Amino acid sequence: MPGTISVLHVDDEPSFTDLVQEFLERRNEGFAVESSQSVDEGLDRLEQNGLDCVVSDYDMPGKNGIEFLKSVRSKWSELPFILYTGKGSEEVASDAISAGATDYIQKESGADHYTLLSNRIRNAVEHYRAKTTAQRTDERYHNLIDTAPIPILLFDEDGKSVYANEAAVTFLNATSYADLENEPFTHFLHPDDQETATERFQTLMSEEEHAPEIEYQVRTLDGELKRATVSTAYGYYRGEKVAQAMIHY
């Protein structure tokens, strides 16, 4: 359900998983905890259910927590995974970090400790969800630009190209975006137009106001000049502010 944080806790001691489940669900509104007593059972639960976070012991029969982590990372590369263990050592912590653990917590007693655990889970899941949302937004943004019938280029705050759709690649007589990457926007303009374009770019990025259309002599990668009307707007790409140049010809 929206707003719920679903947690898989894997530990071979049922009495301990019951204790953790009781605390997390009783003290934290929106937590839903499932428990497993082995790595294999935990992997089955992950396959069956979409879960937000894994909390796992280290020292378990059959497969330990690091082996479990590696199996999880082979299929779910970004899923929050907290190694929650009574076996505290620098070696275990180092192995956990190397294998891609999100966090590492040593088991302790007391309500404050369980509060720490719940806070670490919540922080990890919120970060994971925010990152996933940003990735999905980028995907939608890419799809929108890539399917646009007009050439569109994106420039970062330094004025360098960070993306161009296929229509722009074709218009600029390039073979792929790699030919255009990191080129300043002035590279694609006749020298007579570069000063005006620079002023408009600076205004766009500082004031975040769309600039009216203007006609430029656009210079392609091989030096051909094409007259075109360019409209610009600010936007965000991969979390960074960009200038969007849309070419009409």
Side-chain angles (χ1 to χ4, degrees), residues 141 154-155 157 204-205 208 210 232-244:
Y141 190 47
L154 306 181
F155 298 94
E157 291 189 273
L204 174 74
M205 300 304 282
E208 298 185 351
H210 297 353
T232 52
Y234 75 92
Y236 288 87
Y237 176 69
R238 295 180 176 173
E240 301 296 331
K241 188 188 297 185
V242 294
Q244 306 169 87

Side-chain angles (χ1 to χ4, degrees), residues 98-243:
S98 297
T102 308
D103 209 338
Y104 173 87
I105 303 175
Q106 284 189 239
K107 294 177 183 176
E108 295 178 8
S109 60
D112 288 346
H113 174 69
Y114 293 116
T115 299
L116 170 67
L117 174 62
S118 61
N119 288 340
R120 296 284 185 88
I121 292 171
R122 190 181 300 278
N123 290 340
V125 171
E126 288 178 352
H127 178 75
Y128 171 64
R129 287 176 173 175
K131 186 174 181 179
T132 301
T133 299
Q135 289 172 340
R136 289 174 179 169
T137 300
D138 276 348
E139 288 173 4
R140 289 195 294 268
Y141 190 47
H142 263 290
N143 290 337
L144 178 63
I145 291 176
D146 288 341
T147 57
I150 63 171
I152 299 177
L153 295 96
L154 306 181
F155 298 94
D156 64 16
E157 291 189 273
D158 294 324
K160 293 184 178 181
S161 171
V162 293
Y163 191 69
N165 65 1
E166 285 299 320
V169 170
T170 300
F171 179 78
L172 293 170
N173 297 342
T175 57
S176 70
Y177 169 63
D179 297 333
L180 313 174
E181 189 173 14
N182 289 323
E183 292 289 352
F185 66 86
T186 50
H187 181 79
F188 305 109
L189 296 171
H190 187 279
D192 292 346
D193 295 326
Q194 291 178 4
E195 183 177 351
T196 299
T198 299
E199 292 175 356
R200 285 165 57 90
F201 174 80
Q202 292 171 345
T203 300
L204 174 74
M205 300 304 282
S206 62
E207 299 180 8
E208 298 185 351
E209 293 184 357
H210 297 353
E213 295 181 349
I214 188 171
E215 186 175 278
Y216 287 130
Q217 298 178 77
V218 179
R219 184 169 58 186
T220 67
L221 204 62
D222 56 2
E224 179 185 356
L225 290 175
K226 298 181 178 180
R227 285 202 168 272
T229 299
V230 179
S231 57
T232 52
Y234 75 92
Y236 288 87
Y237 176 69
R238 295 180 176 173
E240 301 296 331
K241 188 188 297 185
V242 294

